[in-house]
Amino acid sequence: MEYKISLIPGDGIGPEIVGEAKKILDKVCEKYGHKFNYEEVLLGGASIDACGVPLTQEAIDTAKNSDAVLMGSIGGDAKTSPWYRLEPSKRPEAGLLGIRKALNLFANLRPAYLYNELKGACPLKEEVIGEGFDMIIVRELTGGLYFGERRTVEENGVRKAIDTLTYDEKEIRRIAVKAFEIAGKRKKKVTSVDKANVLDSSRLWRKVVEEVAADYPDITLEHMLVDNCAMQLVHNPGQFDVILTENMFGDILSDEASMVTGSIGMLSSASLNETKFGLYEPSHGSAPDIAGKGVANPIATILSAAMMLRFSLDLDKEADAVEAAVQQVLKEGYRTGDIMSEGMKQVGTKEMGDLIAERI
Ligand code: NAD
């Protein structure tokens, strides 16, 4: 098969880690007989330096014309980088928010998977970890409290701030459909998280999710209140497969879930629109403190590329092969500095990429 992929190296460690992810994709092409046509896109600080703005129309058009986008990360050191002397709408982060909006990416996917080999980095007790955990949080990204009407007023000398939480059934249905589709490729369980004992938006959420569930009879649906879910994530994380939730709950729960895996350099993510199209990127930032040193962990970006194979290109077998190669390299004791522990073999960014590519 032939696909068009936009590559956004971005800033800081971005070009190093995207280079390794491309190495893996090239190996997948060689092994499975595909052809990926890459086009490089400037975003963030790199775009400011070249074009004067963090996002250009040309970048949006190139991304829209591709089957999927793979990104490193954008941004620099806020204290020293000249990008942060610009007004907020011209800084690197504005480019990322802009491209997400332009591509209508409403579904954010964040897996939290505990590798047996990295159990030591998990802050939970051995008896809580049990057989480990493998979940994915599907978060609604463009609605809810963060996008509702807001204002601050003064009434009778008292300052008052108002934020509104709105969801319509269409917004709920399209994210629920994504969650059920993803569960179909996994362990076939969706836990929908809300606050239906208090919020009207959550009661509508629950109703619409149940309507969607009727179309997926082979998938188990359970509802869980958000406060309980926050506790269950550290009490019994092994119970979850797909967690489906709204924007703010998802913001908080996805960070909690990633913390229990223990390692920022291992966490992938995806943002999808209504079609198969998506933007794939590691959960971490551009790590300016280690940029250019050849020590960054490329695994989060490589696992993001595996998600791209699975969710945008429907290449499940190839995605499995990449994930298995990562697992194998960890099993053999290779580690970048951020996940290093006693008795393991420390390697740099390029070497880690080579080791994974060799095992595909
Ligand atoms: P960060 O995630 O870049 O770094 C936090 C710490 O983790 C640093 O010590 C860093 O060295 C380490 N780290 C991160 N990724 C690593 C990797 N792959 N391998 C080894 N170590 C790694 O967060 P920050 O320092 O708060 O932000 C730096 C810049 O990144 C800022 O400009 C911020 O705005 C930007 N940022 C971008 C994104 C994105 O592009 N989606 C996300 C978060 C932050």
Side-chain angles (χ1 to χ4, degrees):
M1 301 282 281
E2 191 166 340
Y3 298 98
K4 246 195 249 174
I5 315 267
S6 289
L7 287 182
I8 306 182
D11 309 317
I13 59 171
E16 298 167 64
I17 55 182
V18 167
E20 296 316 301
K22 182 171 172 290
K23 192 185 278 175
I24 303 304
L25 290 174
D26 287 343
K27 186 65 191 281
V28 165
C29 285
E30 187 191 314
K31 184 95 200 265
Y32 294 89
H34 303 302
K35 185 163 186 235
F36 294 160
N37 300 306
Y38 303 103
E39 218 166 331
E40 236 179 69
V41 173
L42 292 174
L43 187 76
S47 176
I48 296 174
D49 290 346
C51 316
V53 286
L55 173 66
T56 59
Q57 189 58 44
E58 189 192 343
I60 294 172
D61 293 343
T62 307
K64 273 189 179 164
N65 270 324
S66 56
D67 295 296
V69 182
L70 181 66
M71 188 180 113
S73 45
I74 53 98
D77 184 333
K79 284 202 195 99
T80 56
S81 165
W83 301 328
Y84 295 91
R85 290 199 284 274
L86 299 167
E87 64 172 85
S89 67
K90 299 212 165 90
R91 291 179 191 169
E93 288 71 14
L96 184 55
L97 293 177
I99 200 164
R100 282 182 180 152
K101 194 162 175 226
L103 300 174
N104 193 25
L105 305 171
F106 68 87
N108 182 240
L109 276 48
R110 291 255 302 255
Y113 177 72
L114 184 66
Y115 286 89
N116 212 6
E117 295 74 18
L118 300 180
K119 267 186 177 172
C122 175
L124 304 177
K125 284 186 189 152
E126 192 78 37
E127 66 257 35
V128 174
I129 297 173
E131 295 295 296
F133 49 85
D134 176 7
M135 70 185 101
I136 185 161
I137 300 196
V138 177
R139 165 191 171 194
E140 203 290 327
L141 204 56
T142 56
L145 204 54
Y146 297 172
F147 290 87
E149 209 180 293
R150 68 175 65 97
R151 63 187 190 280
T152 304
V153 294
E154 194 166 318
E155 284 174 358
N156 304 323
V158 178
R159 284 171 298 164
K160 183 163 113 178
I162 301 142
D163 293 292
T164 46
L165 201 182
T166 315
Y167 269 109
D168 69 37
E169 58 182 305
K170 284 190 196 152
E171 290 171 305
I172 303 170
R173 185 163 290 113
R174 65 181 186 174
I175 187 79
V177 166
K178 283 277 182 216
F180 280 89
E181 293 287 333
I182 290 162
K185 288 192 171 213
R186 295 171 48 95
K187 291 174 281 174
K188 299 192 164 37
K189 179 180 171 190
V190 170
T191 304
S192 174
V193 174
D194 60 38
K195 189 74 184 168
N197 52 344
V198 179
L199 302 174
D200 261 20
S201 56
S202 282
R203 284 190 275 272
L204 179 64
W205 182 277
R206 217 174 251 222
K207 265 193 207 133
V208 176
V209 170
E210 274 172 12
E211 287 164 17
V212 172
D215 294 333
Y216 297 87
D218 60 328
I219 292 172
T220 307
L221 167 67
E222 68 172 13
H223 299 285
M224 191 176 278
L225 294 175
V226 62
D227 39 351
N228 186 24
C229 184
M231 288 192 287
Q232 293 300 323
L233 279 172
V234 290
H235 177 65
N236 179 14
Q239 69 184 287
F240 296 111
D241 177 21
V242 174
I243 293 180
L244 161 67
T245 193
E246 61 93 56
N247 202 345
M248 183 177 66
F249 297 159
D251 187 8
I252 299 166
L253 294 176
S254 59
D255 269 10
E256 184 187 1
S258 57
M259 254 324 284
V260 297
T261 68
S263 178
I264 193 167
M266 302 288 299
L267 297 166
S268 54
S269 86
S271 302
L272 311 178
N273 72 10
E274 240 145 4
T275 68
K276 291 244 167 231
F277 180 87
L279 183 147
Y280 298 81
E281 56 174 322
S283 296
H284 59 72
S286 59
D289 52 334
I290 56 167
K293 294 185 178 155
V295 297
N297 186 349
I299 295 179
T301 316
I302 290 169
L303 292 173
S304 302
M307 285 181 89
M308 178 182 83
L309 296 172
R310 191 182 307 284
F311 295 118
S312 281
L313 312 185
D314 267 330
L315 300 174
D316 287 31
K317 188 167 42 83
E318 291 80 346
D320 288 345
V322 174
E323 288 166 0
V326 168
Q327 183 114 40
Q328 183 59 30
V329 165
L330 295 174
K331 209 178 200 167
E332 290 172 34
Y334 295 104
R335 304 281 188 272
T336 43
D338 58 313
I339 52 171
M340 185 60 192
S341 59
E342 223 184 301
M344 300 294 126
K345 293 166 262 191
Q346 188 161 341
V347 296
T349 311
K350 273 196 163 35
E351 212 175 341
M352 184 54 100
D354 289 340
L355 288 162
I356 295 168
E358 279 161 21
R359 282 153 187 76
I360 289 170

